[in-house]
Amino acid sequence: MLREFFGYGGYIREPEGYFSWQHILFVSSLMAVMIALAVILGLKNRKKDEKTKNRVLIASAIAIDTIEIIKIAVILTRSGSWAPLKNLLPLFLCSIMLIAIPLAAFSHGRLKEASLDFVFIFGLMTAFLGTYGAGQNYSCYPVLSLDNVASGLTHAISGFASLYIAVSGMASMKKKNIPVTFAITIAFCAAAYVANITLDYNYMFLMRGDGTPYDIFYNLVNGNPVLYPLTVVGLFLVYIVAFYLVYYLCRKKKNG
């Protein structure tokens, strides 16, 4: 068990591979459970008070951070050093959810509104990119291993929180929160870029695609060290604007 699942002493099994049937089956199962729970709980709590709705987010916040802490602890103990920590900083786009979901659950006022909207906007995207698009994980580790199971669960929780916020009616999507969402995204990208230069790593995939869909854009600009990270940041901002536009168009159509 320690070796087969937790990887102590190195995994015995060979990785099944990115987009293998095992990878697709595992992440599709996670996504199915994620969507079902979010819809069921969201509809159940839709007409209830905010305190009741918020309990689900509190549970999500505790779960996502607990799983991530356990994963980091295992990785550090099996390596026998602190060296892997530089690669485990919460500086990937998906990692923002480790902070954003607790903020959405425990904060108040405009900060809570902005955090709820941020999770709503990015949660589903990070869930699908971090499961179906995680070529760097599924090429290196067996599907049923701590590295992939923990990662799959945290990404599924991000997607669950996003969809639950939408279905339960917790998202405000006020236009005044757009600059806040922009600021969070740009600040996070800046911190990730500095960490990449300092630690020689690839947080937020700002340096290269690493087998993910970002490779498409990396190849389009021939790996230009200036154009590529600017393209990635630009894509995030375009995504935010597009999300708001689609949201308001859908709401306008719904209201007639």
Side-chain angles (χ1 to χ4, degrees):
M1 182 70 173
L2 286 176
R3 187 164 189 178
E4 285 288 339
F5 182 77
F6 292 99
Y8 285 98
Y11 290 114
I12 299 172
R13 290 167 290 128
E14 290 291 323
E16 292 85 354
Y18 181 47
F19 265 83
S20 63
W21 70 264
Q22 294 94 334
H23 167 211
I24 298 303
L25 177 61
F26 174 65
V27 299
S28 295
S29 299
L30 283 178
M31 294 301 101
V33 172
M34 171 197 88
I35 293 169
L37 284 176
V39 172
I40 291 169
L41 292 174
L43 290 175
K44 179 183 177 182
N45 293 337
R46 187 172 181 83
K47 295 183 179 180
K48 295 185 178 179
D49 60 89
E50 293 302 312
K51 185 176 180 180
T52 301
K53 292 179 181 180
N54 200 54
R55 286 174 185 157
V56 175
L57 282 184
I58 291 174
S60 300
I62 294 171
I64 193 171
D65 282 355
T66 299
I67 293 169
E68 186 68 13
I69 289 169
I70 291 171
K71 183 185 81 172
I72 291 172
V74 170
I75 291 173
L76 292 179
T77 54
R78 77 186 182 194
S79 72
S81 74
W82 293 97
L85 192 59
K86 77 168 189 176
N87 304 335
L88 298 170
L89 299 177
L91 290 173
F92 284 109
L93 177 63
C94 312
S95 307
I96 304 179
M97 295 301 153
L98 298 169
I99 302 167
I101 294 176
L103 279 176
F106 295 106
S107 62
H108 301 280
R110 188 175 177 186
L111 178 59
K112 185 177 186 69
E113 282 186 355
S115 299
L116 285 167
D117 291 350
F118 191 90
V119 174
F120 175 40
I121 292 168
F122 280 106
L124 277 176
M125 182 183 77
T126 60
F128 283 98
L129 284 180
T131 52
Y132 289 103
Q136 75 285 6
N137 271 17
Y138 290 94
S139 296
C140 297
Y141 309 111
V143 170
L144 295 181
S145 64
L146 173 89
D147 296 80
N148 283 328
V149 171
S151 177
L153 288 173
T154 54
H155 284 88
I157 292 171
S158 296
F160 164 82
S162 173
L163 192 55
Y164 173 78
I165 287 169
V167 176
S168 65
M170 295 184 77
S172 67
M173 293 299 283
K174 294 178 180 176
K175 293 178 182 177
K176 69 178 182 179
N177 290 331
I178 296 177
V180 179
T181 306
F182 271 23
I184 293 171
T185 306
I186 293 171
F188 199 81
C189 287
Y193 190 78
V194 170
N196 289 337
I197 298 298
T198 305
L199 302 174
D200 188 26
Y201 201 55
N202 191 28
Y203 286 114
M204 294 286 280
F205 300 102
L206 290 172
M207 313 307 284
R208 56 194 176 275
D210 275 355
T212 69
Y214 290 110
D215 273 332
I216 297 170
F217 303 100
Y218 185 85
N219 293 330
L220 280 175
V221 297
N222 295 317
N224 187 287
V226 176
L227 289 178
Y228 173 68
L230 288 177
T231 300
V232 173
V233 176
L235 285 169
F236 292 145
L237 301 184
V238 168
Y239 172 76
I240 293 168
V241 173
F243 196 99
Y244 268 93
L245 285 174
V246 171
Y247 176 84
Y248 280 110
L249 285 172
C250 291
R251 193 170 71 172
K252 184 178 179 180
K253 185 177 180 180
K254 182 180 177 181
N255 294 335

